[in-house]
Amino acid sequence: MLTRWNPFIEMSNGAVALGPFKEFDQLFRELSVRQGGARELVPPADIYETAEGITLQVDLPGHDPKAIEVKVENDTLTLKSERKVERPDKDGARRLERSFGVYTRSFVLPRTVDTSRVEARYENGVLTLTLPRREEARPRVVEVKVNNG
């Protein structure tokens, strides 16, 4: 069976780059280091929309729930958290694949969201944000009256 070779597949699935892309991967990792040594990372998110509102689920495994900052300002929701290094001795490490550093993510909210009623829950490494719709933005059913005259 023949398989089509894609030289970019190594970078598209989030795996550690090998071959000719190893240098690019290392360069981007080094560029992501900010002053002070903390890396700024973007956590993955799922977004669901219903008639009641919007639900965001953001992966933040290993984060202290008390240190997760959720801020709503104007029409932007911003998440910020830091996963700190847990290893006792980095010199003895054989392989380090988990990401540590500052995680940030911002979302521009539609005007239909009631920003005063945003709720956040952290469970099993997943931050779930519930963004309810404003009452006036919720769909409503209009009764059709029939005139028999």
Side-chain angles (χ1 to χ4, degrees):
M1 181 167 119
L2 294 176
T3 303
R4 176 174 265 197
W5 178 66
N6 182 349
F8 300 103
I9 194 73
E10 295 167 351
M11 301 208 49
S12 66
N13 66 6
V16 175
L18 302 172
F21 298 106
K22 186 174 184 176
E23 290 80 18
F24 285 117
D25 185 56
Q26 183 64 32
L27 174 66
F28 285 118
R29 287 178 190 268
E30 290 172 8
L31 289 175
S32 68
V33 176
R34 297 183 313 148
Q35 292 178 354
R39 290 179 45 186
E40 192 162 312
L41 304 160
V42 178
D46 293 335
I47 302 171
Y48 303 95
E49 187 170 7
T50 64
E52 288 76 35
I54 298 171
T55 301
L56 290 171
Q57 291 183 321
V58 183
D59 283 349
L60 293 171
H63 290 250
D64 179 4
K66 295 175 184 162
I68 298 173
E69 180 183 309
V70 178
K71 183 169 65 170
V72 178
E73 190 173 2
N74 298 323
D75 63 347
T76 303
L77 181 133
T78 303
L79 311 171
K80 186 174 183 181
S81 184
E82 182 175 3
R83 188 161 93 174
K84 299 188 184 223
V85 177
E86 300 170 354
R87 59 185 183 266
D89 180 18
K90 89 173 189 183
D91 294 334
R94 304 270 238 155
R95 184 177 191 106
L96 303 174
E97 293 184 345
R98 299 186 308 145
S99 298
F100 295 94
V102 177
Y103 286 69
T104 59
R105 185 88 189 247
S106 292
F107 300 90
V108 176
L109 302 176
R111 294 179 196 212
T112 58
V113 170
D114 185 351
T115 57
S116 67
R117 296 184 18 221
V118 173
E119 294 180 10
R121 186 178 79 248
Y122 183 78
E123 187 176 347
N124 296 326
V126 178
L127 177 67
T128 301
L129 298 161
T130 305
L131 310 155
R133 289 191 193 278
R134 297 178 192 272
E135 286 299 323
E136 65 271 13
R138 288 188 183 191
R140 62 186 182 97
V141 176
V142 177
E143 182 182 337
V144 177
K145 295 181 183 178
V146 178
N147 188 0
N148 291 334

